[in-house]
C-alpha cells in the first residue's frame, strides 16, 4: 500500500496580443485595448537591431474599448511595422 501526491497542474494562461492591424479601403488601422492606455505607439520601416522607432503622437482616437491610429494607405510605406512601448 502506498500513496502518490501529485502537484497541482499549472494554470493555463492564454496571452492575448495587445496590438491589432486591419486594412480598410482607405487606411491601415492600428488599434489596441484600453488596458494599454499608458503605452505609446511607434513605427519603423526596418526591423534590424539598429532600426529607429518613431513615436506616433497622441492623442489617439478612442471608441470606448480600443485606441486607434489610422495611417492613410497613400502614406503607408511599402513595409511598415508598429509596436506599443511603455514610456
Amino acid at each position: 500500500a502506498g500513496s502518490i501526491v501529485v502537484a497541482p497542474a499549472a494554470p493555463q494562461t492564454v496571452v492575448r496580443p495587445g496590438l491589432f492591424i486591419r486594412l480598410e479601403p482607405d487606411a491601415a488601422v492600428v488599434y489596441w485595448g484600453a488596458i494599454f492606455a499608458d503605452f505609446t505607439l511607434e513605427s519603423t520601416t526596418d526591423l534590424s537591431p539598429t532600426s529607429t522607432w518613431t513615436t506616433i503622437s497622441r492623442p489617439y482616437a478612442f471608441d470606448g474599448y480600443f485606441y486607434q491610429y489610422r495611417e492613410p494607405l497613400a502614406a503607408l510605406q511599402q513595409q511598415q511595422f508598429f509596436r506599443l512601448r511603455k514610456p
Side-chain angles (χ1 to χ4, degrees):
S3 62
I4 297 173
V5 177
V6 178
Q12 296 294 325
T13 308
V14 175
V15 177
R16 293 191 168 104
L19 186 70
F20 307 93
I21 301 173
R22 73 173 183 266
L23 285 177
E24 292 187 349
D26 63 339
V29 180
V30 181
Y31 59 105
W32 58 98
I35 190 172
F36 300 101
D38 55 344
F39 284 65
T40 301
L41 183 64
E42 297 179 333
S43 73
T44 189
T45 57
D46 177 26
L47 288 181
S48 71
T50 59
S51 64
T52 301
W53 288 87
T54 304
T55 299
I56 298 173
S57 300
R58 296 174 183 260
Y60 309 119
F62 185 66
D63 67 5
Y65 297 100
F66 294 99
Y67 288 94
Q68 296 183 22
Y69 168 73
R70 300 176 71 82
E71 180 80 31
L73 291 181
L76 196 61
Q77 300 297 313
Q78 178 72 24
Q79 176 172 277
Q80 192 163 353
F81 305 93
F82 295 92
R83 73 176 182 185
L84 290 174
R85 185 178 63 82
K86 188 163 181 151

